[in-house]
Amino acid sequence: LISTLNRHDRRLFVTPSSWRELKQELEEKGFVKKFEFQAYRKDQSTVWLSENAWAVRNPSSDLLYYEGHAEDVSEWKRVQEERQIMEVQLYQSHKLEAVGQLAAGIAHEINTPMQYIGDNVQFLLGAFNDLKSAIETYERLLGSAKKGFVDSKFVNEVEARLESFDVEYLRQEISKAIEQTMEGV
């Protein structure tokens, strides 16, 4: 394809620097192998070429001309570009998958303590209501004692009511629930 480098039509090269690189490599080495560049066709569409060329010299080592051939590698370049795009998409897909796994892990790390906290707050609400009722019962007992008439029937009723609250259990479990809630937080 290259008869003489000086006569080679630079306008064929889509990128002028490719022509300069080809010329420099031929001048320095005396040959090029699989030199790829984009060129214009007669209809001004573009094609990727891979060129192999070498210097032909006379017995005195003077340059006579360059000889060689070029191969259309446009399809191969298109396949390579598609492959690169697919690799980028696959890489992005792996990144999104990793982010999804990370998000699931974080959600689990948040949801477990939140469930723990929610359960303890629910228990504390019930315990508070029981203690509030116990305090109200004690207040009624105290009011009756101040008036001087606490009969055994009323005392039995108060005892039964307080036993139903299991105050000792609440004393132990409320502090544990608060500690566990703080740990969850």
Side-chain angles (χ1 to χ4, degrees), residues 152-171:
S152 60
K153 183 180 173 193
F154 185 62
V155 171
N156 290 338
E157 181 187 322
V158 169
E159 277 183 326
R161 184 145 170 86
L162 292 175
E163 282 178 21
S164 73
F165 297 136
D166 199 358
V167 175
E168 188 55 37
Y169 170 78
L170 293 176
R171 274 189 212 155

Side-chain angles (χ1 to χ4, degrees), residues 118-130:
D119 290 347
N120 281 330
V121 168
Q122 192 69 28
F123 165 76
L124 289 171
L125 179 63
F128 173 76
N129 287 333
D130 287 350

